[in-house]
């Protein structure tokens, strides 16, 4: 049940300090029977006691659960590495049979399922690929394959 609670944060790609309002939690538990509800409440308290989330009762704002640094790091512990993301970018060019000069438009739209850690790492991956000369960045998010990049992905 703890995993289900943490998935409420993950589904929205929330970062540390961001919240899930208690009305969302209540909506989520509406169909629970009394046993499931008790398990949910126990799991919720365990996550709070373990420092993965905090509970705010709404006296100073909105009643919510807030993701802590520990919860954030745990939630996204299996994030793709920079090297894995570099490979994904190059594989995208490869899968489209790209040649020198071909453009991969709006690259971040092609990676919409990345979590917050991977989104930051994707920028680092693109910068690394640009540094070694495999691609250039056009505008804000279009990538152009270079001759070196073409040679690399088809070698």
């Amino acid at each position: 049940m703890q995993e289900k609670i943490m998935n409420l944060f993950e589904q929205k790609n929330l970062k540390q300090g961001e919240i899930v309002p208690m009305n969302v939690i209540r909506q989520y538990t509406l169909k629970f029977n009394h046993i499931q509800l008790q398990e949910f409440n126990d799991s919720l308290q365990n996550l709070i006691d373990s420092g993965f989330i905090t509970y705010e009762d709404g006296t100073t704002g909105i009643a919510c659960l807030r993701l802590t640094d520990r919860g954030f790091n745990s939630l996204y512990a299996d994030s793709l590495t920079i090297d894995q993301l570099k490979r994904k970018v190059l594989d995208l060019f490869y899968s489209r049979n790209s040649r020198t000069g071909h453009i991969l438009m709006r690259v971040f739209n092609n990676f919409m399922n990345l979590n917050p850690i991977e989104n930051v790492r994707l920028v680092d991956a693109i910068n690394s690929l640009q540094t070694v000369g495999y691609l250039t960045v056009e505008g804000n998010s279009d990538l152009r394959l270079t001759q070196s990049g073409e040679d690399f992905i088809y070698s």
Side-chain angles (χ1 to χ4, degrees):
M1 189 66 76
Q2 289 182 11
E3 186 176 315
K4 289 181 180 182
I5 295 169
M6 293 304 287
N7 282 342
L8 294 171
F9 291 92
E10 186 176 25
Q11 290 168 355
K12 297 185 182 290
N13 277 333
L14 297 181
K15 299 174 186 142
Q16 58 272 58
E18 294 185 325
I19 66 165
V20 173
M22 289 309 292
N23 62 345
V24 171
I25 301 297
R26 282 190 283 285
Q27 221 26 52
Y28 178 73
T29 61
L30 275 179
K31 294 182 181 178
F32 285 6
N33 63 41
H34 70 283
I35 294 171
Q36 292 169 317
L37 191 56
Q38 184 59 50
E39 182 184 349
F40 179 87
N41 288 332
D42 291 345
S43 295
L44 183 61
Q45 189 59 52
N46 191 345
L47 288 169
I48 292 168
D49 292 344
S50 299
F52 291 99
I53 58 176
T54 59
Y55 169 72
E56 297 174 14
D57 64 11
T59 55
T60 60
I62 187 168
C64 64
L65 299 177
R66 187 174 300 275
L67 188 63
T68 65
D69 288 340
R70 183 175 187 190
F72 177 81
N73 292 331
S74 172
L75 195 58
Y76 302 115
D78 295 329
S79 297
L80 295 172
T81 66
I82 291 172
D83 286 339
Q84 289 169 322
L85 289 164
K86 289 191 313 190
R87 185 76 252 163
K88 281 181 74 98
V89 170
L90 294 175
D91 285 347
L92 200 49
F93 277 113
Y94 181 85
S95 70
R96 294 179 179 189
N97 200 27
S98 297
R99 298 289 181 236
T100 300
H102 283 187
I103 293 178
L104 183 60
M105 296 178 65
R106 296 178 299 281
V107 70
F108 290 98
N109 292 350
N110 289 299
F111 293 95
M112 289 176 50
N113 293 325
L114 298 182
N115 67 46
I117 290 175
E118 292 166 339
N119 280 324
V120 170
R121 289 178 181 169
L122 179 59
V123 172
D124 293 337
I126 290 169
N127 288 338
S128 177
L129 291 169
Q130 187 175 10
T131 298
V132 295
Y134 291 167
L135 54 85
T136 60
V137 177
E138 309 281 323
N140 288 332
S141 62
D142 296 342
L143 305 179
R144 183 183 300 274
L145 189 64
T146 65
Q147 182 63 54
S148 294
E150 180 182 346
D151 293 344
F152 180 79
I153 63 175
Y154 296 112
S155 62

